Amino acid sequence: MRKRLIVSLASAAALLLAVPAAASGPPAGFGAAGVGDPYYPTYGNGGYDVSHYDLHLKYQPATDRLEGTATLLATATQNLSRFNLDFALDVSEVLVNGRAARFATTGEQELEVTPAVPLAQGAQATIVVRYAGTPSKVSRYGFTAWLRTPDGGVAAGEPESAWWWFPSNDHPSDKATFDVSVLVPDGTQAISNGILTSQRSSLGWTRYSWRENKPQATYLATLAIGHFDISTGTTPGGLPVFNAYSKDLGENAGAARASVERTGELVDWLSGYFGPYPFSSAGGYVPNVPTGFALETQTRVFYSPRQFASGSNSSVVVHELAHQWYGDSVSVQHWSDIWLNEGFARYAQWLWSEHENEGTAQELADYVYATHPAGDAFWNVKPGDPGAENQFDIAVYDRGALAIQALRNTVGDTAFFEILKGWPAERRYGNASIAQFQAYAERISGRPLGDLLQTWLFTAARPAAPAAGAKGQAEAPQGLSASAAPGAPREPRSWKQIAATNAVHEHEHAREHGAR
Ligand SMILES: [Zn+2]
C-alpha cells in the first residue's frame, strides 16, 4: 500500500509532541479510521460528530484549480488524541481549536489529525483545514467523482464525492448543516445546495454563498461551476425553486427543461403521498457532463443530460424528488439499508405511472415479476442486503419496489399510505435501518411483517407467488418466460420511461467497486 506522509512545517511546535508508537491495535484515544459501515469499512470516521461545515472556496474554471478553507464544527464522542477526516486534495494546514495540528495522509482518503491538545469526550472542536488541488486529476480507488466540464466542474457521486472538494466525516450517519461559499470569475456561476444567500462581485470575481439549513449527508452535498441559464420561482405551495441548465446542452436542452421545470409541481404532488416537503428549497441542475446518471443531491438534484436524450422524462424527476424524503431527510444508517432509498424512489415512479394512467403499481409489479423467471440472476440480489458490489443493481430498484407492492397488498391501502407518509415524519432529518422501518410498519399496520420482508428483501430466490393484489393477478409459471406464458402481463405504457432512468445511479467506477 502506498503511504504518503505530510507534516506541516508551519506547526513546528506541534512536532515536539510525540505520536504514540503503533503497537498492537489502535491506541486508546485514537478515533477509528471508519465509522463501521459493513460495505465500506474505511468510510466515515469514529470518535466525533460534525454539526456544521463551512466551506470557503475559490475555483478557476480554466485550470480546474480548487482552493479552500473548510471549518468543521464537531463534538468529540470519545477522548481523542487523534482523529481522521476523509479527504483527497492536498492539505497545507490544519488547526484544531485555533492551534496548529499535526496531520498525515494514509490509505486512499484518510487524513489523520493530531490536535495540539487532545479532545475530551463531549468537547466541542472547531477544525480548520486549508487545502488546494486539481480535483479532476485526483484518483481514488481508480476513479474520480469530480466531473470536469468544458466551462468548469461538478461534484456529484454516491457513495463518494466529498473527498474531491471538502474534508469530512464521509458517511450518511453523520449529517450536518452546510454553508458553501465559492469565488469564481465574473460570468461564471457556482451552484450548491439550499438557498443562495448572497452573490457579490468585486475586481472580476463573484462570490456565491449557499446555505443548506437542514441536516445533510456528505454525499448529498453538491457543487457545480460553469455557465448556466438560471430559472427561479416558487411552487404553488410557496416553496422557492432554483433550477439551472448548462448553456451548452445542445439538442437535449429542451427536453431537460421540459422535465426539470416540473420540479415544483412534482414536489407538491409527492407531498400528497410523503407529507410536507422537508427542505426550504427545491430544484435541479443539468451540467454538460458526459455521464448518464442522476443523483438526489439535497434540494438541488443532479441530472446528466443523457437522461433527456430520448425526450423529456418526468419519471426521473419524480424518482430524485422522492429521495428528498426517502434518502435525504431520512438517510440510511448503513449503506446496506439502500432499499429504504431506492425501493421507495422507484415505487414513487410506479405511483406516478398510476397517476398518469400509464400502468398501475400492481401492473408494474406483475410485469417485473413475470419478466424475471425463476433462476434469473435478478433474484440472486437481496435488496435488503445487496452487498457493496450490487448496491445499485437493478434488483435493488425493481425487486425493491416489488417488495413495497407486496407490503401494500399485505397491510391494505389505508395502512400502507399511512406508513408511506408517516415514516418520513417519524425519522425526519435523521437516519434509519430497514429493521427500524419494519418495526414502524408493524406498529402502524398491526401485522407481523418479518416473513414478508424476509421473502422479498433477504432471500436470494424468486418468491413463490408474485406480489399479488386481492384480485389475484396472472402469474407467469415458473420457468416460462413472460412472453411464452399465456395471459402474461403486458408491458405497462410507462415501462420504457421508467427503464430509461435505470442509469439513475449508474457508476462509471462500478468495476473498481466490485473488485474491492
Ligand atoms: Zn435513486
Side-chain angles (χ1 to χ4, degrees), residues 287-313:
N288 182 19
V289 288
T291 51
F293 68 102
L295 185 64
E296 63 268 24
T297 36
Q298 190 159 309
T299 70
R300 195 110 314 108
V301 172
F302 163 90
Y303 299 96
S304 294
R306 246 164 57 196
Q307 285 285 329
F308 311 108
S310 306
S312 71
N313 191 342

Side-chain angles (χ1 to χ4, degrees), residues 464-484:
K471 297 186 293 286
Q473 299 290 325
E475 179 189 354
Q478 294 194 2
L480 282 183
S481 73
S483 57

